[in-house]
Amino acid sequence: MPFPIGAIGFDLGDTLIEYEGIPLNWEAYYPQALTNLAAVQGFQLNSALLDQGCEILRRANTRLYPREYEITFATLLAELQECFGLYESTECDELACAHAFFEIFRQKLRCFPEVADVLGTLRAQEILTGIYTDVPYGMPASLVQNDLFSTGLDGAVDVFLTSTDTGFRKPAVKTLQTLAARLSCPPEKLLYVGNERKDIQVAKAVGCTAVLIDRAHQGYDWGQEYTISSLTELLSLSWG
């Protein structure tokens, strides 16, 4: 049955791109990320400080403690700096620290094979597209933008928003309400594609058409209107 569409929104991670080999819960990588962070500031962590740093990261881990508000990397970094006793004595380049901290998670970044062609086709059809993505540990939007650039997707959508831009994480309704507004699209005419339960929850709460991308054929039913296994299948949906 046809449905009206004004724009299409996408999640980013595991929808358009993936950090290959990195699990959703990053706990196992905390020690290396903290070691990298310390190295860029010219010091070494002992085991006690490393343990304290890992505990700070666990408290910020949305896989362990889901939340609908966002923190910034600057806030997280300040807490780590204080823990390490560096807040008074060490100058800190926030972006350099962010690059060092997130480096291990971003090493094997790739775009799913069909994504560029699908986004190109939508643009050729004059369908507005946008991304709203939650970021881990307040990752600066500039790093996420770099990830889009490295996968060839820079400029491929009309609107790009992260949870640090709005201060909210899915399934808070402010997320897709903001995306719809930036696309000048009523929520009921926005189709949103994501791979997690929260993507479907927020789409339905806002009144969007919810599309689950289930690349591994897990068969989840979270109340989505459509389930696809590849973004190519979007092009065969009847949009009216």
Side-chain angles (χ1 to χ4, degrees):
M1 180 176 180
F3 58 91
I5 185 169
I8 300 179
F10 298 92
D11 176 45
L12 183 60
D14 291 328
T15 297
L16 302 181
I17 66 175
E18 69 170 339
Y19 298 92
E20 194 173 6
I22 300 295
L24 292 177
N25 188 338
W26 291 5
E27 280 188 275
Y29 296 86
Y30 288 170
Q32 185 60 59
L34 290 170
T35 299
N36 291 349
L37 176 60
V40 79
Q41 297 175 85
F43 73 99
Q44 293 184 334
L45 293 174
N46 59 38
S47 59
L49 288 178
L50 191 61
D51 287 345
Q52 291 174 44
C54 286
E55 183 54 35
I56 289 171
L57 295 181
R58 287 189 191 95
R59 292 199 298 270
N61 187 334
T62 56
R63 300 295 168 181
L64 299 176
Y65 306 104
R67 62 177 186 271
E68 293 191 3
Y69 66 91
E70 189 55 279
I71 63 171
T72 65
F73 181 71
T75 299
L76 182 63
L77 180 60
E79 187 174 359
L80 290 169
Q81 293 281 85
E82 183 172 359
C83 172
F84 300 155
L86 298 175
Y87 54 100
E88 292 181 348
S89 60
T90 303
E91 292 187 6
C92 176
D93 182 330
E94 181 186 330
L95 192 55
C97 288
H99 276 282
F101 178 82
F102 290 105
E103 177 185 11
I104 188 170
F105 309 114
R106 303 166 67 229
Q107 289 177 348
K108 294 183 178 180
L109 179 66
R110 78 177 185 103
C111 180
F112 289 107
E114 81 281 11
V115 170
D117 285 344
V118 170
L119 293 178
T121 298
L122 294 175
R123 174 156 289 179
Q125 294 177 354
E126 299 184 343
I127 296 173
L128 293 177
T129 57
I131 290 172
Y132 193 103
T133 182
D134 293 339
V135 297
Y137 307 94
M139 179 190 285
S142 61
L143 267 66
V144 187
Q145 192 75 57
N146 289 346
D147 290 346
L148 290 178
F149 181 82
S150 67
T151 55
L153 295 182
D154 186 46
V157 298
D158 299 290
V159 173
F160 168 67
L161 291 171
T162 78
S163 50
T164 58
D165 294 316
T166 66
F168 293 96
R169 299 178 61 86
K170 295 172 287 186
V173 294
K174 186 71 172 178
T175 59
L176 294 195
Q177 287 175 342
T178 303
L179 180 62
R182 289 285 300 274
L183 288 166
S184 300
C185 175
E188 63 272 15
K189 292 188 177 182
L190 178 67
L191 183 148
Y192 189 72
V193 185
N195 67 296
E196 294 191 65
R197 182 193 293 268
K198 64 180 179 179
D199 298 317
I200 305 306
Q201 287 176 326
V202 68
K204 294 182 72 66
V206 174
C208 306
T209 298
V211 179
L212 175 68
I213 183 161
D214 181 10
R215 295 184 182 276
H217 303 280
Q218 297 293 319
Y220 297 121
D221 183 358
W222 294 322
Q224 64 272 15
E225 280 80 13
Y226 298 92
T227 300
I228 58 177
S229 59
S230 166
L231 287 187
T232 304
E233 295 173 43
L234 274 180
L235 304 178
S236 63
L237 297 181
S238 179
W239 296 335

